[in-house]
Amino acid sequence: MTDPWSSALLTDHYELTMLQGSLRSGAAHRRTVFEMFARRLPETRRYGVVAGTDRFLDALERFRFDEATLDYLSRAGIVDDPTLEWLANYRFTGDIWGYAEGECYFPGSPILVVEGTFAEAVLLETVALSIYNHDCAIASAASRMVTAAGGRPLIEMGSRRTHEMAAVAAARVAYICGFAASSNLEAGRRHGVPTTGTSAHAFTLLHDSERHAFTAQLEALGTGTTLLVDTYDVARAVRTGIELAGTDLGGVRIDSGDLGVLATRVREQLNGAGATDTRIVVTGDLDEYSIQALAIAPVDGYGVGTSLVTGSGTPTASLVYKLVARASEEGPDAPLFPVAKRSVGKPSRGGRKWGVRRFDDDGVATAEVVYDHEPDLGPLERPMLRKLVERGEIVGREPLQAARERHARAVRELPVTAQQMSRGEPAIPTVFEQRVRV
Amino acid sequence: MTDPWSSALLTDHYELTMLQGSLRSGAAHRRTVFEMFARRLPETRRYGVVAGTDRFLDALERFRFDEATLDYLSRAGIVDDPTLEWLANYRFTGDIWGYAEGECYFPGSPILVVEGTFAEAVLLETVALSIYNHDCAIASAASRMVTAAGGRPLIEMGSRRTHEMAAVAAARVAYICGFAASSNLEAGRRHGVPTTGTSAHAFTLLHDSERHAFTAQLEALGTGTTLLVDTYDVARAVRTGIELAGTDLGGVRIDSGDLGVLATRVREQLNGAGATDTRIVVTGDLDEYSIQALAIAPVDGYGVGTSLVTGSGTPTASLVYKLVARASEEGPDAPLFPVAKRSVGKPSRGGRKWGVRRFDDDGVATAEVVYDHEPDLGPLERPMLRKLVERGEIVGREPLQAARERHARAVRELPVTAQQMSRGEPAIPTVFEQRVRV
């Protein structure tokens, strides 16, 4: 189910005033290239993860200035009548390339390349950045958690800690990055993310005793369910659970206390009772570091909330969307003219770019190569840009599963340093290759 | 314009399985009280700010299990048929009280009190927490920025750094907390937040020269506009701006470099040219600390992006939603029975609570008093809970302006320590008053 309303006002005011100014000067119709990229990665990330691509294509499809939208812009006096007229016919007619969803990126990777007139491309700045900055930030955190969990399943359960719609996007992104499931039902409906969950402390407290509560849950959900065992006393709750469900009890969840110690004790207790297949799930303020620290504990799965949906210390990916080339006075058929701001401390490189990943003979990535021209690829180079929009038509949609599979592959291709939890440099360097001019 | 779709799946899976379990045990129909509160404040906050109230009421109104929703739940096998039938008729019929939007809160303040059957109240957990956790986190940061700016206007411009819908909510919240305007157009349309903006570096780079770009902007937006002056050389851009617009030039914006030094130089340059009324707006990775550090610089306004929408280091308010009381075996007319989890390191107090703010003779707040019974208020005490929902009817809506005015008042009432930027304790202590039992 898609929001039926227009996404056109998920836009900063200045994009419309720039439109008005450029319509006035005539420059609105110049061909331009805008690129989205990160100037750097946070110190806690060895790679970035591209996410939000499909959501951006959704937003692009809904990016129409319908009557209600135009009416607001007119009443609020945001732009003049010629601009409103132009907006009424707005439809992106250009081309967009992007790194595929689930891919890894590095500083300078041109993860989105938008080519169109200035007027049509400048309007997409905010909506594109909002979607990618959120989704990539969550994805980069999620991917590390999956690495930290070392094959044990992770459940995303952070909806309550973030904006209600960001929650849906975060659940989707976590799934792309390898989480097994989410608690978020809207993510299940909209995106097909598997959902899971059994009960909270409230359910135990609601009943006259823990035994009553467990009985009710087992009757309603079967013995395969997971009982929450830390409302009162963990050992007693585990004993009660086994008494009621027998050794077929699916699992127990521990949500507080020293999770490693408790998991070890509970495992012993379960094994002692013969419930060797009963799984132990731990939750409660976990992040990639505490997940990794629990590697030696007898834990069968992790639930992750706050740290996932807040990007584990990095809630935004700091991606920017910059004009890098435009038509010049020489006319529409001349090559586009590279442009870049000369700003202190904010390096930008003018000109359209092509991202390529370079590998060694063993298939391990060795560099992110950013060409300032369309390159002739060597046998150990893979082009990173794929066509998302062709002359205004969306051509780059794909099922969520494709992004999930791609992400697992993309991480496997990186050198093993990519999996370090410590602070440090990107897993591979970015190399800028300039055309040799003779 | 409201999203027409149901908000009912902005919900964690386990709320529905708890519903199924409690329908089975019969406990679903027990009267309950759930409360939302923060166990503590972040060290960087002297007070929390209540925000999201009106958005929560919107979500409550749309919290209906319509056919599409039920169809998903059925297909995905999330709950059984009796539960689906119950959900089809779902409508919250209980009572809700809450701290008014814009108010300040402290550890333990019961900022939302939901009274209804377990079945109807438990389902609201995630949607309520998502909205309040996001909005309160942003509000608490925004309020500090307004304090730091000391009367100079602030513009919210962080949409690009957060989820596209979180951006709309953040703009609304910033306005409640005293920001003058936002760049976000959807916040203008949905919530009536004033919007503003003129141009980005792309506009300058699009044109053949900065002079062409400024000319276009001045023609389109008038001499009262704000020119962005740091694309190439700031001093030259300011000179060009004055040449083109005269001393009536509305403002200039500096987005990079040492903002304090540049603002001082630009002020001198503007004054030297007679443009003493031309305003200087600074933007670029500002937070409450850098805003305060610019207090002595000749700055007329600040634009704040990333730090606002990410809650300036605290992207979530860590609010929890807990069952605190329920009907007992003694039957539906007996007093509700206080309940609380006995968990390590997570203090919860059972029983319904009443929040009250206590003042001294000068009208300065001295304590947040949390009663475990409906108190007889003294002359220097103000009740904090207002009715939001009465027997299922929403009665607590109010215009955005009311929340904005309330917030300004609420901060003024606090002791001056509330305005310190340093880390420390809440501005007033929370006192738990228990009924004297004789």
Side-chain angles (χ1 to χ4, degrees):
Chain A
M1 185 186 181
T2 313
D3 297 335
W5 52 274
S6 160
S7 64
L9 294 185
L10 300 175
T11 295
D12 284 330
H13 188 121
Y14 79 176
E15 283 145 43
L16 294 192
T17 46
M18 285 193 276
L19 171 64
Q20 179 171 323
S22 62
L23 286 171
R24 182 72 71 106
S25 73
H29 311 298
R30 283 188 164 176
R31 272 169 60 225
T32 59
V33 179
F34 283 81
E35 285 178 354
M36 184 187 290
F37 59 94
R39 292 198 174 95
R40 60 193 167 286
L41 298 181
E43 269 195 339
T44 47
R45 300 286 180 270
R46 302 307 181 104
Y47 56 89
V49 179
V50 176
T53 315
D54 222 65
R55 295 211 310 116
F56 168 66
L57 296 176
D58 274 346
L60 182 67
E61 198 161 41
R62 295 190 283 114
F63 204 89
R64 299 277 186 275
F65 292 84
D66 57 21
E67 219 161 302
T69 309
L70 293 168
D71 183 52
Y72 161 70
L73 294 174
S74 170
R75 276 184 295 112
I78 288 165
V79 285
D80 61 15
D81 287 345
T83 308
L84 290 173
E85 266 170 55
W86 190 90
L87 288 172
N89 299 310
Y90 179 80
R91 188 169 173 288
F92 182 78
T93 64
D95 296 296
I96 302 181
W97 297 260
Y99 277 39
E101 195 156 20
E103 268 295 356
C104 298
Y105 70 83
F106 297 91
S109 301
I111 69 173
L112 197 71
V113 178
V114 178
E115 189 169 334
T117 66
F118 176 78
E120 60 184 6
V122 75
L123 295 185
L124 303 179
E125 177 178 15
T126 302
V127 72
L129 283 174
S130 293
I131 291 172
Y132 278 92
N133 265 323
H134 175 268
D135 286 13
C136 293
I138 307 305
S140 301
S143 181
R144 275 161 64 86
M145 292 170 186
V146 171
T147 295
R152 291 174 177 174
L154 289 160
I155 302 165
E156 187 285 308
M157 36 188 277
S159 296
R160 61 192 53 205
R161 299 284 187 237
T162 189
H163 183 279
E164 69 276 17
M165 297 312 299
V168 182
R172 175 181 178 278
V173 159
Y175 185 67
I176 288 175
C177 293
F179 274 56
S182 165
S183 63
N184 189 288
L185 292 171
E186 188 70 28
R189 172 165 69 171
R190 284 193 191 206
H191 302 300
V193 174
T195 68
T196 186
T198 58
S199 65
H201 299 107
F203 187 78
T204 299
L205 296 171
L206 169 71
H207 288 87
D208 295 330
S209 71
E210 195 169 55
R211 181 174 294 269
H212 278 98
F214 286 2
T215 303
Q217 183 177 331
L218 290 162
E219 278 178 11
L221 306 177
T223 52
T225 192
T226 297
L227 297 172
L228 177 60
V229 292
D230 70 333
T231 304
Y232 305 112
D233 177 78
V234 172
R236 202 187 67 189
V238 172
R239 197 164 53 241
T240 305
I242 298 289
E243 275 174 34
L244 295 171
T247 56
D248 288 342
L249 177 62
V252 296
R253 176 161 79 95
I254 311 169
D255 183 52
S256 57
D258 184 318
L259 298 174
V261 171
L262 286 172
T264 303
R265 287 195 196 153
V266 168
R267 185 75 268 158
E268 284 168 9
Q269 189 183 356
L270 288 169
N271 290 353
T276 50
D277 290 339
T278 301
R279 293 155 42 83
I280 299 175
V281 178
V282 295
T283 58
D285 286 331
L286 292 174
D287 61 14
E288 62 269 45
Y289 305 105
S290 51
I291 290 168
Q292 199 176 45
L294 287 165
I296 55 158
V299 167
D300 301 291
Y302 304 93
V304 187
T306 306
S307 66
L308 187 278
V309 298
T310 59
S312 196
T314 310
T316 185
S318 300
L319 297 164
V320 294
Y321 180 89
K322 295 292 174 191
L323 178 68
V324 297
R326 61 161 168 83
S328 66
E329 329 65 319
E330 293 167 40
D333 296 328
L336 295 186
F337 182 75
V339 294
K341 181 187 170 212
R342 271 178 244 142
S343 175
V344 187
K346 290 186 180 173
S348 291
R349 286 160 194 271
R352 162 94 204 261
K353 291 165 211 76
W354 283 260
V356 166
R357 193 145 301 156
R358 192 176 282 163
F359 297 88
D360 66 15
D361 289 331
D362 298 323
V364 178
T366 58
E368 181 78 345
V369 190
V370 179
Y371 287 90
D372 71 351
H373 56 281
E374 192 158 8
D376 292 326
L377 292 181
L380 297 174
E381 290 187 334
R382 186 175 73 219
M384 299 300 288
L385 289 172
R386 60 192 278 273
K387 200 83 180 249
L388 300 176
V389 177
E390 174 130 30
R391 293 168 182 258
E393 288 304 311
I394 293 171
V395 298
R397 283 194 191 284
E398 55 177 18
L400 191 61
Q401 204 62 34
R404 181 172 160 95
E405 286 162 17
R406 180 182 297 114
H407 181 66
R409 270 200 315 275
V411 172
R412 271 200 309 273
E413 283 174 0
L414 297 179
V416 285
T417 53
Q419 304 193 11
Q420 283 181 246
M421 290 294 132
S422 55
R423 289 166 178 264
E425 300 299 312
I428 55 174
T430 303
V431 177
F432 292 91
E433 293 275 13
Q434 292 180 295
R435 186 193 295 276
V436 181
R437 289 169 216 280
V438 283
Chain B
M1 186 183 182
T2 313
D3 297 337
W5 52 274
S6 160
S7 64
L9 294 185
L10 300 174
T11 295
D12 283 330
H13 188 120
Y14 78 177
E15 284 146 42
L16 295 192
T17 46
M18 285 192 277
L19 172 65
Q20 179 171 322
S22 62
L23 285 171
R24 182 72 71 105
S25 72
H29 311 297
R30 284 189 164 176
R31 272 169 59 226
T32 59
V33 179
F34 283 81
E35 285 177 355
M36 185 188 290
F37 59 94
R39 293 195 174 98
R40 59 194 169 283
L41 299 181
E43 269 196 338
T44 47
R45 300 285 180 270
R46 301 308 181 104
Y47 55 89
V49 179
V50 177
T53 315
D54 222 64
R55 295 211 309 116
F56 169 65
L57 296 176
D58 274 347
L60 182 66
E61 198 161 40
R62 294 189 283 114
F63 204 91
R64 299 277 185 278
F65 292 83
D66 56 20
E67 217 160 303
T69 309
L70 293 169
D71 182 52
Y72 162 70
L73 293 175
S74 170
R75 273 185 296 114
I78 288 166
V79 285
D80 61 15
D81 286 346
T83 308
L84 290 173
E85 265 170 55
W86 189 91
L87 288 172
N89 299 311
Y90 178 80
R91 189 171 172 286
F92 182 77
T93 63
D95 296 295
I96 303 181
W97 297 261
Y99 277 39
E101 194 156 18
E103 268 295 356
C104 297
Y105 71 83
F106 298 91
S109 301
I111 69 173
L112 198 71
V113 179
V114 178
E115 190 168 333
T117 65
F118 177 79
E120 60 186 6
V122 74
L123 294 185
L124 303 178
E125 177 177 16
T126 302
V127 73
L129 284 174
S130 293
I131 291 172
Y132 277 92
N133 265 324
H134 175 268
D135 286 13
C136 293
I138 307 304
S140 302
S143 181
R144 275 161 64 87
M145 292 172 187
V146 171
T147 295
R152 291 174 176 172
L154 289 160
I155 301 165
E156 186 285 308
M157 36 189 276
S159 297
R160 62 192 53 205
R161 299 284 186 237
T162 188
H163 184 278
E164 69 276 16
M165 296 313 299
V168 182
R172 175 181 177 278
V173 160
Y175 185 67
I176 289 175
C177 293
F179 273 56
S182 166
S183 63
N184 189 289
L185 292 171
E186 189 69 28
R189 171 164 72 170
R190 284 194 190 205
H191 303 301
V193 174
T195 67
T196 188
T198 59
S199 65
H201 298 108
F203 188 77
T204 299
L205 295 171
L206 169 71
H207 288 87
D208 295 331
S209 71
E210 194 169 57
R211 182 175 293 269
H212 278 98
F214 285 2
T215 302
Q217 184 178 331
L218 290 162
E219 278 179 11
L221 306 177
T223 53
T225 192
T226 296
L227 297 172
L228 178 60
V229 293
D230 70 334
T231 304
Y232 303 113
D233 177 78
V234 172
R236 202 187 68 187
V238 172
R239 197 161 58 240
T240 305
I242 298 289
E243 275 174 34
L244 295 172
T247 56
D248 288 341
L249 177 62
V252 297
R253 176 161 78 95
I254 311 169
D255 182 51
S256 57
D258 184 318
L259 298 173
V261 170
L262 286 172
T264 302
R265 287 194 196 153
V266 167
R267 186 75 268 159
E268 284 169 8
Q269 188 184 358
L270 289 169
N271 290 353
T276 51
D277 290 339
T278 301
R279 294 156 42 83
I280 299 175
V281 178
V282 295
T283 57
D285 285 331
L286 293 174
D287 62 14
E288 61 269 44
Y289 304 105
S290 50
I291 290 168
Q292 198 175 46
L294 287 165
I296 56 159
V299 167
D300 301 291
Y302 304 92
V304 186
T306 307
S307 66
L308 187 278
V309 298
T310 58
S312 196
T314 310
T316 185
S318 300
L319 297 164
V320 295
Y321 180 89
K322 294 292 173 191
L323 177 69
V324 296
R326 61 160 169 85
S328 65
E329 335 52 325
E330 293 166 42
D333 295 328
L336 295 187
F337 182 74
V339 294
K341 181 187 170 214
R342 272 178 246 145
S343 175
V344 186
K346 290 186 177 174
S348 292
R349 286 159 194 273
R352 161 95 204 259
K353 291 162 212 79
W354 284 260
V356 166
R357 193 144 303 155
R358 193 175 281 162
F359 298 88
D360 66 15
D361 290 331
D362 299 323
V364 178
T366 58
E368 181 79 344
V369 190
V370 179
Y371 288 90
D372 71 350
H373 56 281
E374 192 157 9
D376 292 325
L377 292 181
L380 298 173
E381 289 188 333
R382 186 174 75 220
M384 299 300 288
L385 289 172
R386 60 193 280 273
K387 199 85 182 243
L388 299 177
V389 177
E390 174 132 29
R391 293 168 183 260
E393 288 303 311
I394 293 170
V395 297
R397 283 194 190 282
E398 56 177 17
L400 192 61
Q401 204 61 35
R404 181 172 159 95
E405 287 163 16
R406 179 181 298 113
H407 182 65
R409 272 200 314 276
V411 173
R412 271 200 308 275
E413 284 174 359
L414 297 179
V416 287
T417 52
Q419 305 193 10
Q420 284 180 246
M421 289 295 131
S422 56
R423 287 165 180 266
E425 299 299 313
I428 55 174
T430 303
V431 177
F432 292 91
E433 294 274 12
Q434 291 182 295
R435 187 192 295 275
V436 181
R437 291 170 214 277
V438 282

